[in-house]
Amino acid sequence: MAPKTSDYLNIKSINECVVATEYAVRGEIVSIAQEMAKVIDAKGKDSGYPFEKIVWCNIGNPHILGQKPITYFRQVLALCEYPALLENPAISQIFPSDVIERANLILKNIPGGVGAYSESAGAFIVRKLVAEAVQRRDGVFCDPDNLFMTDGASPAVHYMMDLLLREDSNDGLMVPIPQYPLYSATLTLYGGHLVPYHLNESSGWSLDVDVLRKNLYAAREKGVCVRGLVVINPGNPTGQCLSDKNIVDIVHFCYDEGLVLIADEVYQTNIYVDDKDFNSFRSVAHREGLLEKLPVVSLHSISKGFVGECGRRGGYMEVTGFPNDVKEQIIKLASINLCPNLSGQICCALMMNPPKEGEPSYELYASERDAILGSLRRRAQVLVSGLRKLEGVTCNDAEGALYAFPCIKLPAQAVAEAKRIGKQPDWLYSREMLDATGIVVVPGSGFGQEDGTYHFRTTFLPSEGDIGSVVDLLSVFHAKFLTKYGGL
């Protein structure tokens, strides 16, 4: 008699690392919200909920909240997806000349077009265009052979985990707390150790190298072989922009301690304060004379910035200071996946090489870019200002990225209720917020936080027409929550 499927395929018989992995931004509260959304879609105002729609503030997904795509990018992509349009006699009346020229350049250099496999590291024309843009940005040479195009930044993180975390070892990575849960999730998935270093909330989520050193040495004393350090700039979920001094200190710390520096820089165009600029870690390493001496991994993506092409899945990873035989192993990892999708590759090249001043598409491109970034700055200010008015809530400025990460004091009765149901207190707060308002946020416990503190992460991506009502809903909910649980 054949065995039952459940005898050999069950939760105890699969990879325990997969079972242990958690990813907060798509966690339990989001799953509940998705079920609510289905009910609202089916029943409308008869859904039984005290709201008419779900407001997705849990993840940086701009287009789902109404942000429009950049026209130039979509026009070039349209021609690359359907090259027959280029043969239309009226093409020059439909598309600007620089769009046509860019599509022809790309298609000429990608045999078979977007439906064919490219090189595993990405189409050379794309890597060449990205390398030229990185060099313009930093004033430092970028070798296309150091670039790996990826389906968003996430596969690059998987590559590094696969590469650095050895089987049956005690390897780990230093990760900021709070952190983007991709890092804790992949460390768990690959069997590595998360070595935390806490950012200082009271000083704007700043980074202290003395804390890095203390935590590194403590991990080593416990037998953890720390392979690298992750830094997210601008920060996610914290929104802070590192100072130039911080970046210099981190570069030297990694060099002195023999750590691979993994620089997550996907929010590099999302900076909303006048006294901060983006400086890439690779450019600072070059300035300090360490670019070829220190292994640096630089990550970027088309999902963030003002582009927001999350579903298209495009990005790149640049590796510098890596021995050639190690780079060959990264190529091997990329080869296992054959190649990243061509549409995402092309969009990444366009993001890094937008229309230049004087070209036909420039004025529209610049106006769309500036409108999105200007609106994000205003929405960030509205949200943070509103949060600061709530009793028991503090919130640092959202200097960059797409999020606010307020600290919330919760009543003792709420903390006790959370313990009773086996949840974190900020999970209870976030769940009741969803039930009352339809707003989806992520509990701070999913990102890591200092013991005894509670937070939640929310985007400021709802439109300028909606962000005020989001703040109003939050304010009413917060007051009722405090009252329900006995006040502060």
Side-chain angles (χ1 to χ4, degrees):
M1 180 177 177
K4 296 179 181 178
T5 300
S6 58
D7 291 338
Y8 59 88
L9 183 62
N10 55 65
I11 198 68
K12 293 183 179 179
S13 72
I14 63 175
N15 186 334
E16 60 185 18
C17 291
V18 174
V19 177
T21 297
E22 296 181 357
Y23 187 59
V25 297
R26 289 281 178 95
E28 184 180 2
I29 287 177
V30 176
S31 297
I32 294 168
Q34 289 169 339
E35 292 305 311
M36 288 179 167
K38 291 177 184 177
V39 173
I40 292 171
D41 286 344
K43 298 184 178 181
K45 293 182 179 180
D46 296 325
S47 68
Y49 300 125
F51 44 83
E52 296 183 2
K53 65 178 180 179
I54 298 295
V55 183
W56 301 101
C57 292
N58 61 299
I59 194 168
N61 191 11
H63 290 186
I64 202 171
L65 287 165
Q67 180 176 308
K68 301 300 181 185
I70 299 295
T71 301
Y72 175 78
F73 299 164
R74 287 295 181 93
Q75 287 178 327
V76 177
L77 287 162
L79 294 178
C80 290
E81 290 284 349
Y82 190 53
L85 288 172
L86 290 164
E87 307 302 322
N88 190 311
I91 187 66
S92 61
Q93 300 171 33
I94 303 171
F95 292 96
S97 60
D98 55 341
V99 167
I100 297 170
E101 290 170 8
R102 181 54 56 92
N104 276 319
L105 172 67
I106 292 169
L107 290 170
K108 178 182 177 182
N109 288 278
I110 299 181
V114 298
Y117 291 132
S118 73
E119 298 95 324
S120 294
F124 182 75
I125 181 61
V126 169
R127 287 183 288 127
K128 180 175 180 290
L129 289 169
V130 171
E132 290 170 352
V134 170
Q135 184 167 331
R136 285 195 305 272
R137 184 195 68 194
D138 293 342
V140 180
F141 174 70
C142 178
D143 187 343
D145 289 336
N146 286 341
L147 286 169
F148 296 82
M149 307 309 298
T150 52
D151 291 328
S154 299
V157 175
H158 283 270
Y159 286 162
M160 285 300 106
M161 298 293 180
D162 232 351
L163 190 77
L164 297 175
L165 302 178
R166 296 164 295 184
E167 189 175 355
D168 299 325
S169 69
N170 218 21
D171 291 340
L173 290 177
M174 299 192 75
V175 176
I177 299 296
Q179 52 97 27
Y180 178 44
L182 170 66
Y183 294 100
S184 56
T186 50
L187 276 164
T188 301
L189 188 62
Y190 290 93
H193 292 272
L194 189 152
V195 179
Y197 63 92
H198 285 269
L199 304 176
N200 188 336
E201 184 170 11
S202 63
S203 61
W205 298 112
S206 64
L207 185 155
D208 187 337
V209 172
D210 289 337
V211 172
L212 286 179
R213 192 169 287 108
K214 176 183 176 182
N215 290 10
L216 172 65
Y217 294 169
R220 286 174 173 170
E221 287 178 6
K222 294 177 182 177
V224 177
C225 180
V226 182
R227 306 301 311 279
L229 178 141
V230 173
V231 61
I232 307 172
N233 185 44
N236 176 10
T238 52
Q240 92 288 2
C241 300
L242 293 177
S243 67
D244 187 71
K245 182 182 183 303
N246 259 169
I247 297 175
V248 171
D249 288 345
I250 293 166
V251 165
H252 282 280
F253 171 77
C254 289
Y255 177 70
D256 292 341
E257 298 295 344
L259 302 176
V260 176
L261 172 54
I262 301 173
D264 183 333
E265 299 172 332
V266 302
Y267 297 100
Q268 60 188 254
T269 59
N270 295 110
I271 297 178
Y272 313 116
V273 289
D274 295 331
D275 61 343
K276 296 284 183 74
D277 294 308
F278 172 74
N279 291 304
S280 71
F281 274 86
R282 71 184 298 278
S283 67
V284 173
H286 172 79
R287 188 207 312 159
E288 297 297 306
L290 297 176
L291 187 58
E292 298 304 322
K293 300 176 183 178
L294 169 68
V296 177
V297 182
S298 304
L299 310 180
H300 199 8
S301 168
I302 65 173
S303 299
K304 310 306 177 187
F306 56 90
V307 182
E309 292 277 6
C310 303
R312 201 171 293 278
R313 311 309 297 136
Y316 73 79
M317 169 179 74
E318 183 198 14
V319 297
T320 55
F322 276 58
N324 287 332
D325 56 350
V326 176
K327 281 171 52 180
E328 289 173 0
Q329 302 309 306
I330 302 175
I331 294 173
K332 181 195 296 182
L333 288 174
S335 300
I336 293 171
N337 292 323
L338 293 177
C339 77
N341 83 87
L342 265 297
S343 180
Q345 289 188 52
I346 293 168
C347 193
C348 191
L350 298 174
M351 173 184 72
M352 298 298 290
N353 294 271
K356 298 175 183 176
E357 192 167 359
E359 293 181 339
S361 297
Y362 177 78
E363 287 190 11
L364 176 59
Y365 163 79
S367 67
E368 291 175 338
R369 175 199 63 199
D370 295 347
I372 292 170
L373 292 175
S375 178
L376 286 170
R377 175 186 282 220
R378 293 189 294 273
R379 283 178 271 169
Q381 292 168 345
V382 169
L383 178 62
V384 171
S385 175
L387 289 168
R388 286 174 174 168
K389 293 176 183 177
L390 305 183
E391 183 182 359
V393 175
T394 58
C395 187
N396 282 310
D397 288 333
E399 296 179 339
L402 301 172
Y403 317 101
F405 196 63
C407 182
I408 50 175
K409 291 182 180 179
L410 297 178
Q413 290 181 29
V415 175
E417 173 62 13
K419 183 177 181 180
R420 186 189 70 80
I421 64 174
K423 298 293 185 181
Q424 292 294 326
D426 46 21
W427 184 96
L428 175 69
Y429 182 90
S430 301
R431 172 62 201 274
E432 293 201 12
M433 183 195 301
L434 170 63
D435 290 341
T437 67
I439 299 170
V440 189
V441 299
V442 186
S445 47
F447 300 90
Q449 54 197 352
E450 290 279 5
D451 290 342
T453 68
Y454 309 111
H455 301 77
F456 65 88
R457 189 192 79 168
T458 176
T459 71
F460 39 84
L461 286 172
S463 70
E464 286 196 82
D466 288 340
I467 194 71
S469 62
V470 169
V471 171
D472 291 342
L473 287 169
L474 272 171
S475 301
V476 172
F477 160 74
H478 184 78
K480 289 182 177 179
F481 184 90
L482 295 187
T483 300
K484 175 180 178 180
Y485 290 103
L488 295 175

